[in-house]
Amino acid sequence: MPTMKATVFVEKGRIELREKPIPEVGPLDALVKVTTTTICGTDVHILKGEYPVQSGLTIGHEPVGVIHRLGSAVKGYREGQRVIAGAITPSGTSNACLCGFCSQDGAGTAHGWKPLGGWRFGNTIDGCQAEYVLVPDAMANLAPVPDGLTDEQVLMCPDIMSTGFGGAESGAIRIGDSVAVFAQGPIGLCATAGAKLMGATTIIAVDRVPERLEMARRLGADHVVDFSRQDPVQAIRDLTGGRGVDVSIEALGLQATFEAALRVLRPGGTLSSLGVYSTDLRIPLDAFAAGLGDHRIITTLCPGGKERMRRLMEVIAGGRVDLKPLVTHRYRLDDIVEAYDLFSQQRDGVMKVAITP
């Protein structure tokens, strides 16, 4: 049986590059030869044992590639076509999908809903940090890459761009709004860019890494706050004349950032949470106004599906945002364990790592 190289979760703190069989293609599937992929913070959660997956699973959920083989029932695509697939690969037919919640796709359940059910790559099925990836429900998930766009230009679309923009969209940002974005990692930077595109006129980016704060300015932040030098809650209160922001976006997944994001909201404001939390959260009574402050707290899992990917690539092709500078390091698949070490330790100013065969 033909084999391929694949990055496999072995146990807490350990991944390996192994040989695995190249997947067989079912009628609704597409086999994609991966040309570029990357490492996500969620992959690091998996590596650290903070998010459980089965030992032996190929991890990764951000593929750019070329269709190698199509299932017999897949129409509208051709072998050799450049495509991306979202980190979320919905069936498109479940009750959740038909209600607009593709990330909570419950295909196969009696009621059609499943928490995180749309996240299959590197979670419940083999992912894309490999030479090939099998894309399920291909007609719902494969998005052709427009001519003229490089792999690295669209590499952010499958997850971090979709997630970051999703945080801005879930926050229902309006023209003229003030927005605070806590943590300027890749997802937070995309949330900053998304807030700008949605019409926010005062965007405050919070982090402590100078390179990330500078990137936040490039992507649309009007003010930056270094939380290692000043209290971000007080700084944001001062910048808004004591009013607080209309929308705060939490993009890290820690108690401290979640609580700060709640404390900077004006009454009636929205906290849009993007973080992946590994411990219970506590809501402070005073910041919550005893539950009477008309606050809105909403969470977002990366939107997926081919139409979402098409729209994001149109944003890139239209020159509305350039996320290619987020790729700071490049590695071969053979060296992915080294890339994980760099990324998980956040050394050398790393933001995103491009992985190629």
Side-chain angles (χ1 to χ4, degrees):
M1 180 178 292
T3 62
M4 65 178 184
K5 297 174 184 177
T7 308
V8 170
F9 172 77
V10 179
E11 60 187 0
K12 180 180 178 180
R14 181 180 167 203
I15 60 166
E16 291 181 355
L17 191 65
R18 292 182 177 177
E19 291 287 328
K20 295 183 72 170
I22 294 176
E24 296 184 0
V25 181
L28 297 175
D29 304 330
L31 183 66
V32 171
K33 182 176 178 59
V34 178
T35 54
T36 309
T37 187
T38 186
I39 301 171
C40 177
T42 304
D43 299 324
V44 176
H45 282 292
I46 291 171
L47 174 63
K48 292 180 177 179
E50 296 170 347
Y51 184 89
V53 300
Q54 184 177 358
S55 179
L57 186 77
T58 303
I59 52 180
H61 49 261
E62 298 161 277
V64 184
V66 175
I67 297 174
H68 185 71
R69 189 172 300 128
L70 289 169
S72 58
V74 178
K75 308 298 180 185
Y77 299 89
R78 58 177 173 79
E79 293 178 358
Q81 188 173 20
R82 292 181 65 225
V83 291
I84 63 172
I88 302 300
T89 52
S91 66
T93 59
S94 70
N95 290 356
C97 289
L98 296 174
C99 288
F101 290 93
C102 291
S103 300
Q104 316 303 325
D105 182 15
T109 68
H111 45 72
W113 296 82
K114 182 181 178 183
L116 283 67
W119 174 28
R120 294 190 272 182
F121 286 149
N123 183 22
T124 59
I125 65 173
D126 280 337
C128 61
Q129 289 170 10
E131 292 182 287
Y132 295 89
V133 63
L134 190 69
V135 179
D137 298 299
M139 292 175 67
N141 291 297
L142 287 182
V145 177
D147 292 339
L149 292 185
T150 67
D151 279 17
E152 289 192 7
Q153 282 180 290
V154 302
L155 182 58
M156 305 303 138
C157 296
D159 185 358
I160 71 158
M161 184 182 181
S162 188
T163 301
F165 279 28
E169 291 163 317
S170 294
I173 294 170
R174 298 185 297 178
I175 293 171
D177 270 354
S178 56
V179 178
V181 184
F182 285 83
Q184 295 297 302
I187 286 176
L189 288 167
C190 288
T192 295
K196 178 78 170 182
L197 287 175
M198 292 190 69
T201 51
T202 302
I203 302 172
I204 307 165
V206 181
D207 207 287
R208 66 177 177 181
V209 179
E211 294 83 1
R212 294 188 175 198
L213 291 172
E214 178 57 32
M215 184 64 71
R217 286 192 183 277
R218 290 175 60 182
L219 291 175
D222 301 286
H223 307 277
V224 298
V225 174
D226 182 342
F227 70 82
S228 69
R229 295 177 176 272
Q230 59 187 139
D231 175 12
V233 174
Q234 187 59 52
I236 291 168
R237 286 285 176 185
D238 291 344
L239 285 168
T240 58
R243 174 182 181 271
V245 295
D246 299 290
V247 179
S248 62
I249 301 174
E250 198 287 322
L252 187 58
L254 296 177
Q255 172 68 39
T257 46
F258 179 89
E259 184 171 329
L262 183 60
R263 290 188 180 281
V264 300
L265 282 180
R266 64 160 170 81
T270 298
L271 192 167
S272 180
S273 173
L274 295 173
V276 178
Y277 301 95
S278 54
T279 60
D280 289 342
L281 283 172
R282 181 182 62 85
I283 296 180
L285 185 65
D286 60 334
F288 197 47
L292 303 175
D294 286 331
H295 296 120
R296 179 171 173 260
I297 299 175
I298 185 166
T299 64
T300 300
L301 174 58
C302 170
K306 67 180 182 183
E307 173 61 9
R308 176 69 169 184
M309 296 300 104
R310 182 195 68 80
R311 287 176 175 272
L312 295 178
M313 287 190 289
E314 286 294 327
V315 173
I316 299 292
R320 296 301 189 269
V321 66
D322 179 13
L323 300 177
K324 187 179 176 182
L326 298 189
V327 178
T328 56
H329 294 72
R330 294 162 181 85
Y331 281 84
R332 307 292 291 186
L333 181 61
D334 286 342
D335 301 317
I336 195 165
V337 173
E338 180 183 340
Y340 261 93
D341 183 66
L342 172 83
F343 187 76
S344 63
Q345 300 298 322
Q346 288 293 289
R347 297 196 310 272
D348 194 28
V350 65
M351 291 189 190
K352 290 291 279 186
V353 178
I355 307 293
T356 54

